[in-house]
Amino acid sequence: MEIVTKNELVQCFQSTGIHRGSVLEVHSSLSSFGQVEGGADTVIDALITSVGDEGSIFIHFNKNALLYFTNVHFFVVRLAAHVSNG
């Protein structure tokens, strides 16, 4: 199996229209990328490179996924429903 690199991922993301300033919601299985050099960190680095400082990436994951990421800063957003009678 061919190993996928960060540069190859960035090129693929850009070919789908992802560019600096893009806002992405990502929900994917790491195995869908094939064998990635550096694993999940490389996929996230490629996404960050693709959207740049101007973009945003929202990733859905379960708490077990934290075991795979070593170089990413996470924050938790909790949304409360707002009900208006207006």
Side-chain angles (χ1 to χ4, degrees):
M1 178 183 283
E2 186 176 328
I3 296 176
V4 180
T5 66
K6 176 184 172 183
N7 288 337
E8 291 172 321
L9 289 171
V10 170
Q11 289 174 356
C12 286
F13 296 152
Q14 290 172 344
S15 74
T16 64
I18 296 172
H19 55 82
R20 295 188 77 72
S22 290
V23 177
L24 307 177
E25 179 181 3
V26 179
H27 187 128
S28 179
S29 168
L30 181 59
S31 64
S32 68
F33 291 95
Q35 186 174 351
V36 178
E37 179 181 66
D41 283 329
T42 299
V43 175
I44 292 175
D45 286 344
L47 287 166
I48 291 170
T49 297
S50 298
V51 302
D53 291 338
E54 305 85 9
S56 296
I57 304 167
F58 301 90
I59 301 175
H60 177 271
F61 62 92
N62 65 38
K63 65 182 178 181
N64 294 330
L66 293 174
L67 300 173
Y68 299 102
F69 302 119
T70 59
N71 230 359
V72 179
H73 300 283
F74 291 97
F75 62 94
V76 177
V77 177
R78 295 185 187 263
L79 300 176
H82 175 75
V83 178
S84 173
N85 291 329

